[in-house]
Amino acid sequence: MAFRCQRDSYAREFTTTVVSCRPAELQTEGSNGKKVLSGFHVVLEDTLLFPEGGGQPDDRGTINDISVLRVTRRGEQADHFTQTPLDPGSQVLVRVDWERRFDHMQQHSGQHLITAVADHLFKLKTTSWELGRFRSAIELDTPSMTAEQVAAIEQSVNEKIRDRLPVNVQELSLDDPEVEQVRGRGLPDDHAGPIRVVSIKGVDSNMCCGTHVSNLSDLQVIKILCTEKGKKNKTNLIFLAGNRVLKWMERSHGTEKALTALLKCGAEDHVEAVKKLQNSTKILTLSWPASEGGARKEGDSEFMNIIANEIGSEETLLFLTVGDEKGAGLFLLAGPPASVETLGPRVAEVLEGKGAGKKGRFQGKATKMSRRTEVQALLQDYISTQSAKE
């Protein structure tokens, strides 16, 4: 059975009936560790909220203004986890979190398009994919890719977006001859009924349970950020689609403005200015006030990592902080892995915070940002000791 969310991915609300409601628990993981919530699994006659599957996370939304915290598929039904019970047989209004839904539609349809083009242009097969919170990854069955291949794929997918190609969904029976022409990586063990096929006109047909745009023009644009080494001779292609590209540009522009202010030069001179800094100092310390919304805002941590990536820390110890200089905040220590492994826990201790790290990065939360000068002294003492040993 196809859910309402699969039959009409653009529907934002509808009315249905509660079939059952039973006690349940939900394990969550946040900044304070794992937590188990008590609540209920609500089953509806039909649902507008997509249960996770096919590499796509589940939807969020409400049932009669009661928040749905998780949606999972159970056979032909979907379990909606709520912390308030609902009466079986009652009529309810279901609303979807549209911003999250449309984002998932853009990323998932974008993945189908990239997968088809990579296969068509270079015979690169997709073995899996992940729709991440900030970026998505397609695992390709190749040990490496050239910059020219990446550029050709990006150019082709964006041409198809500008061509406004329609995206259609149809259901086929298992014995339909068309099934043999459809791309896919197999069906779930508990699959029953017809096969759902998502087709991009003239480009691709693929078995899929997810929610998709109805026309490639709704993707707006696709940006391939980079490739990364995957597991077992695979390559991960990292991409953004639609609104995520706009948000990425906004963050990148913010980083550029911050570096311009810090380095006292135009964007075109950032690289040269950083090289001069790296040649003239072994320690680089930078700090910013917290962004609107508080020092623990996720964007601040991401911002520090972007700055660290831009500056580079192979030879230099980089100490970055974001937050109220008299209160709490976030910190990042980057540099040679051995130095960071030694200094990271000590920095956290000085700032009366906690953190974790790997591969030359240690970041965490601090409660005493006023002790940053003590951290600088600690780092300088370490550098002096290392230099004396040399």
Side-chain angles (χ1 to χ4, degrees):
M1 164 186 162
F3 298 120
R4 175 66 186 273
C5 56
Q6 296 169 306
R7 300 194 304 273
D8 181 5
S9 297
Y10 287 83
R12 303 192 188 195
E13 64 177 55
F14 90 132
T15 301
T16 187
T17 303
V18 177
V19 173
S20 64
C21 180
R22 57 189 174 85
E25 291 184 338
L26 175 66
Q27 184 169 295
T28 63
E29 191 165 353
S31 57
N32 296 320
K34 293 182 179 179
K35 184 179 180 181
V36 177
L37 301 178
S38 296
F40 304 87
H41 271 156
V42 178
V43 175
L44 307 173
E45 279 188 359
D46 199 353
T47 186
L48 200 64
L49 305 183
F50 178 75
E52 59 187 348
Q56 179 177 326
D58 56 336
D59 280 337
R60 293 290 181 270
T62 60
I63 304 175
N64 277 2
D65 294 325
I66 296 168
S67 295
V68 176
L69 306 182
R70 185 71 51 83
V71 190
T72 52
R73 188 174 70 90
R74 182 164 51 88
E76 294 187 359
Q77 295 180 324
D79 287 330
H80 306 72
F81 184 88
T82 68
Q83 292 187 282
T84 302
L86 289 157
D87 295 328
S90 61
Q91 294 283 303
V92 290
L93 178 64
V94 182
R95 289 193 177 98
V96 68
D97 177 340
W98 177 246
E99 183 177 358
R100 178 182 172 94
R101 157 68 68 75
F102 190 60
D103 172 55
H104 290 177
M105 289 164 62
Q106 288 185 318
Q107 309 317 310
H108 203 159
S109 296
Q111 176 265 314
H112 278 224
L113 180 57
I114 295 171
T115 286
V117 168
D119 189 3
H120 175 71
L121 292 182
F122 304 110
K123 306 300 180 187
L124 298 176
K125 304 294 184 183
T126 292
T127 49
S128 68
W129 88 290
E130 178 187 14
L131 199 168
R133 188 171 181 182
F134 298 108
R135 63 182 199 166
S136 297
I138 298 173
E139 184 186 76
L140 296 172
D141 192 12
T142 181
S144 64
M145 292 179 69
T146 66
E148 290 75 18
Q149 286 177 318
V150 172
I153 292 171
E154 183 176 277
Q155 179 179 340
S156 180
V157 297
N158 282 295
E159 285 174 352
K160 288 171 172 51
I161 290 171
R162 290 192 293 271
D163 287 341
R164 300 176 55 85
L165 298 179
V167 180
N168 299 309
V169 177
Q170 60 178 325
E171 292 186 350
L172 301 177
S173 61
L174 277 170
D175 56 0
D176 193 310
E178 286 190 45
V179 171
E180 298 298 322
Q181 309 301 318
V182 175
R183 184 168 52 81
R185 297 193 299 274
L187 296 168
D189 293 336
D190 60 350
H191 177 82
I195 296 171
R196 188 168 179 268
V197 177
V198 176
S199 300
I200 303 172
K201 186 178 180 181
V203 176
D204 183 51
S205 289
N206 184 27
M207 296 181 198
C208 185
C209 64
T211 56
H212 289 271
V213 299
S214 61
N215 191 288
L216 290 188
S217 62
D218 274 354
L219 296 186
Q220 300 168 289
V221 66
I222 286 176
K223 177 61 186 174
I224 298 176
L225 296 179
C226 62
T227 59
E228 296 177 350
K229 184 176 176 58
K231 58 186 180 182
K232 298 180 180 177
N233 290 321
K234 303 290 197 302
T235 295
N236 295 328
L237 193 69
I238 312 302
F239 77 95
L240 307 172
N243 291 334
R244 291 194 182 193
V245 178
L246 300 178
K247 292 178 180 178
W248 170 73
M249 290 180 66
E250 184 179 350
R251 288 196 301 270
S252 297
H253 183 58
T255 301
E256 183 178 286
K257 287 172 62 179
L259 285 172
T260 296
L262 290 166
L263 300 172
K264 304 291 191 288
C265 65
E268 66 278 4
D269 297 320
H270 285 174
V271 173
E272 200 58 39
V274 168
K275 286 180 180 178
K276 288 180 181 178
L277 275 172
Q278 289 174 324
N279 291 333
S280 63
T281 183
K282 294 275 183 127
I283 303 174
L284 183 59
T285 302
L286 302 172
S287 61
W288 299 266
S291 64
E292 186 177 346
R296 288 177 173 78
K297 195 171 181 182
E298 289 181 16
D300 289 333
S301 178
E302 185 179 3
F303 175 73
M304 289 193 297
N305 276 285
I306 291 172
I307 293 290
N309 290 338
E310 290 283 339
I311 292 177
S313 52
E314 292 81 4
E315 304 289 338
T316 304
L317 272 176
L318 188 60
F319 177 51
L320 307 178
T321 61
V322 178
D324 182 351
E325 67 176 88
K326 295 183 179 180
L330 303 174
F331 71 90
L332 168 68
L333 181 69
S339 299
V340 171
E341 185 178 353
T342 299
L343 291 166
R346 294 166 64 184
V347 169
E349 183 179 357
V350 170
L351 296 175
E352 296 187 21
K354 58 182 181 179
K358 61 181 179 179
K359 297 180 180 179
R361 298 276 173 95
F362 188 100
Q363 62 189 88
K365 299 176 182 178
T367 60
K368 292 290 181 68
M369 295 293 280
S370 58
R371 300 183 67 181
R372 281 181 299 199
T373 53
E374 295 178 45
V375 172
Q376 293 173 32
L378 169 68
L379 299 181
Q380 189 60 60
D381 183 60
Y382 175 83
I383 291 295
S384 299
T385 302
Q386 295 301 113
S387 298
K389 290 180 180 179
E390 294 173 1

